[in-house]
Amino acid sequence: MRSVVRGAWAVLLKDFRSEFRTRYALSAIALFALTSIAALSFVLRGQAMQPEESAGLSWIIVFFAAVTGLARPFVQEAESGTELLLRQAATSEAVWLGKFLFSLVLMLGLEAIIFPVYSALMNAPVVRVWYLALVAALGAVCLSAATTLIAALVCKARARATVFAVAALPVMLPALVFLVQASGSAFGAGDAGGESASALRLVVSYSGILIVLSWLLFPLVWEE
Amino acid sequence: MVMVIIGAFLLTPAMQGLGEAGRILYFHVPCAWVSTVAYLVAAYGGVRYLATRNLDFDRQSAAAAQIGLLFTVLATASGAVWAQIAWGKWWNWDPRQTFIAMVMLLYGAYFALRLSIDQIDQRAVVSSAYVTFALVAAVFLMFIAIRLPHTSTLHPSPVLPTQADQDEDSPSLKGGMEPDMRIVLMSSLAGFTGLAYWMWRVQVRVDRLAADLAPAQEAASLEGATTAHPASGADA
């Protein structure tokens, strides 16, 4: 187990280093998110929205930003031809964990940009900040879990970016529904108990299932 | 199947509150059932392929997913017709409707993914892994997320009433069924399952033959090219 963690840490560090060398994924996703928030705010011009609508729109932005960015960890390996080297250098468990953590950090950073900017530009005050932070963190785990395996799968396909969006969205969609339900109360709808708590439980159990399954399937896909 | 159709229209009494339209039950429920079974078979084939790397399992899995998607569409369509009659709307965001739409997207994405990969072995690996992933997501949606408190559905509980259902005080909504209806529904389930099994066998055999023929066809087309070439040269 310790060797897996150490390997994963190495993979994670390597990904960060190569990412900071080019800053491709980070700048592309952040700009994508900011542009879509700007587009939305031009369309809506600061109209007051229902809390549920605010929650829904903000998560949709997070989702599409994730779809543009989260294929990156694996597709980048395929594009630069380093897949084989990585397969030699690290065990598949370490690769999975490293890539999962990289996606997770990417998602958390993304949400840290999206939610404050969204709240400020869209006239959507966040009532329960810490609760929203909790939901966002769980959402990041769930989305990274859903996309890690699929990113590894689409490396073998043609038109990777498009296929990734098509294949990842249906798996992420249940999470979207639950996350929107769960975060409605953060924007001021109802109370934090009841419905949003049960939606939050669904997010947790769904991510648990996805993590286990993706962990089990990944070695079979990675080592051929 | 013919027996089932006759039975559905002639033998059973019209349903209370729904009238003649209630007969759609005998087609809607089996479609949903068949698609569930087909997705299970698809995931089983996927897991077996990943374990054995025998391409035949991949063919079985893909054929089952195809049938599953077809019957999901049928179940959704017949469900929408039923919803229009019973609830007054084609689509009213009942949790089951929402989730079946997601399941359709999942398996639609499966075929999009499958079509985007040329190399046969890699296509098999990728689609096997995805179909397993999709099954778990689908099961989570259709059987777990739906059963939780705070998700209210207008669909009745499972067909065969459990003890808990019988304790509830609204038996009309909780799977209380006339014996006649139950017989027709059960035979309809059996008929649909048989039909789907037959379709699946045919599809698997077609795929197998296509795979067997592929090298021969390639060789033939190469041969054709080499023999055609001198002839065209002579014409010139």
Side-chain angles (χ1 to χ4, degrees), chain A residues 38-189:
Chain A
L40 264 181
S41 68
F42 291 146
V43 171
L44 292 170
R45 290 173 185 277
Q47 277 174 29
M49 282 186 296
Q50 295 292 319
E52 289 87 355
E53 294 169 354
S54 298
L57 280 179
S58 61
W59 276 110
I60 285 174
I61 293 170
V62 173
F63 259 67
F64 282 94
V67 163
T68 53
L70 286 189
R72 189 76 194 140
F74 281 102
V75 169
Q76 178 250 336
E77 304 281 352
E79 275 172 359
S80 58
T82 48
E83 233 182 325
L84 203 64
L85 262 177
L86 185 63
R87 211 172 282 156
Q88 296 292 323
T91 62
S92 61
E93 284 88 0
V95 172
W96 184 87
L97 194 60
K99 296 290 187 188
F100 171 70
L101 290 175
F102 183 67
S103 301
L104 185 60
V105 174
L106 215 58
M107 280 306 298
L108 288 172
L110 190 64
E111 288 174 342
I113 301 172
I114 288 180
F115 282 109
V117 175
Y118 177 88
S119 170
L121 278 185
M122 301 294 291
N123 191 19
V126 177
V127 182
R128 298 183 180 83
V129 176
W130 289 112
Y131 178 69
L132 183 64
L134 173 71
V135 177
L138 290 175
V141 173
C142 196
L143 298 190
S144 319
T147 51
T148 303
L149 181 72
I150 292 178
L153 291 181
V154 298
C155 279
K156 301 180 170 68
R158 285 174 300 170
R160 295 185 185 110
T162 321
V163 174
F164 177 74
V166 170
L169 268 179
V171 182
M172 292 155 79
L173 209 54
L176 173 70
V177 174
F178 306 141
L179 285 168
V180 170
Q181 277 175 7
S183 56
S185 69
F187 286 93

